[in-house]
Amino acid sequence: MIRTRKNMNGMGMGKLIIILLAISVVFGFVFDFVVTKIERAIYPKPSEYAEYVSRYSSEYGVPEELVWAVIKTESDFKASAVSGVGAVGLMQLMPETFNEITNFRLNERLDAGMRYDPETNIRYGTYYLSYLYARYGSWSTALAAYNAGLGKVDGWLEDDEYSSNGSTLDRIPYKETRNYVTKVQKALRMYEDLY
């Protein structure tokens, strides 16, 4: 009789462990599903821009996830966004940058109001990221230039305090630019993981 009770307790404990494992696996799947849904709501890929991001990231050799990350960071997908310094649109193009690209790089001579057009903004912003990457050979340095400007980044690269090799930044002196690069890189990792 004692032996039978031990066996039953052992079998009961085994069943309990199996049930608990099954519950934890199901909970894990549900938790992962919910967290992914929340993260995709925070880091979306709005369908109205997907064609443009895909087309121009491919055309200009910029990772698609990076374009999404820059748009998320710059405007949070608001095509009418305007910054305090005059940058506008999804990728927050400055008037001078837009003018340089349209008049001197792509020779299209578009009106400055076209910066608000989502396709134009994504095209020119992606082109500019490509140009910066070709110039610096590093996405983090390209992102720093996208935020702070070419002149600032060129000066930092010439300074031993910020660059040990003159071609990549070891340290970014401006807090705003440092935070910007970190924020875009975090968004980039999220887009890579989620999609």
Side-chain angles (χ1 to χ4, degrees):
M1 197 66 150
I2 294 174
R3 202 172 219 206
T4 308
R5 279 191 194 154
K6 276 188 175 180
N7 286 345
M8 288 185 75
N9 284 341
M11 289 178 96
M13 189 60 106
K15 285 182 181 178
L16 180 63
I17 290 171
I18 289 171
I19 290 169
L20 289 174
L21 283 173
I23 290 170
S24 66
V25 167
V26 169
F27 178 76
F29 281 119
V30 170
F31 181 79
D32 188 49
F33 177 78
V34 170
V35 167
T36 300
K37 282 282 198 192
I38 292 168
E39 288 174 338
R40 284 187 177 203
I42 294 169
Y43 295 94
K45 286 173 104 177
S47 59
E48 67 262 36
Y49 307 130
E51 178 188 342
Y52 308 140
V53 171
S54 178
R55 179 186 314 149
Y56 297 118
S57 65
S58 176
E59 184 174 332
Y60 297 122
V62 176
E64 194 171 314
E65 292 80 10
L66 181 61
V67 177
W68 286 113
V70 169
I71 294 172
K72 168 67 179 164
T73 304
E74 288 286 355
S75 68
D76 201 23
F77 302 99
K78 294 177 184 84
S80 61
V82 180
S83 77
V85 294
V88 302
L90 293 166
M91 296 186 77
Q92 290 291 281
L93 296 174
M94 291 292 289
E96 304 80 21
T97 304
F98 184 80
N99 185 48
E100 179 186 333
I101 295 169
T102 188
N103 291 330
F104 303 109
R105 303 235 176 254
L106 298 177
N107 294 316
E108 294 179 342
R109 312 227 185 282
L110 298 178
D111 180 76
M114 289 298 289
R115 290 183 297 152
Y116 288 98
D117 173 64
E119 181 177 6
T120 302
N121 196 280
I122 290 170
R123 179 176 180 225
Y124 279 56
T126 305
Y127 170 85
Y128 193 53
L129 284 170
S130 172
Y131 168 77
L132 294 172
Y133 181 75
R135 181 177 176 132
Y136 296 113
S138 156
W139 284 117
S140 60
T141 306
L143 290 170
Y146 196 91
N147 178 262
L150 297 164
K152 294 285 185 206
V153 169
D154 288 346
W156 298 339
L157 289 171
E158 292 172 3
D159 190 329
D160 295 357
E161 189 177 345
Y162 308 120
S163 176
S164 57
N165 61 10
S167 60
T168 57
L169 291 171
D170 301 324
R171 192 166 75 80
I172 299 171
Y174 284 6
K175 183 179 179 181
E176 177 193 337
T177 301
R178 201 169 43 245
N179 290 343
Y180 173 80
V181 171
T182 300
K183 196 172 178 181
V184 173
Q185 289 173 334
K186 177 186 176 192
L188 172 61
R189 284 190 302 274
M190 293 301 293
Y191 279 106
E192 289 172 339
D193 289 347
L194 290 170
Y195 302 96

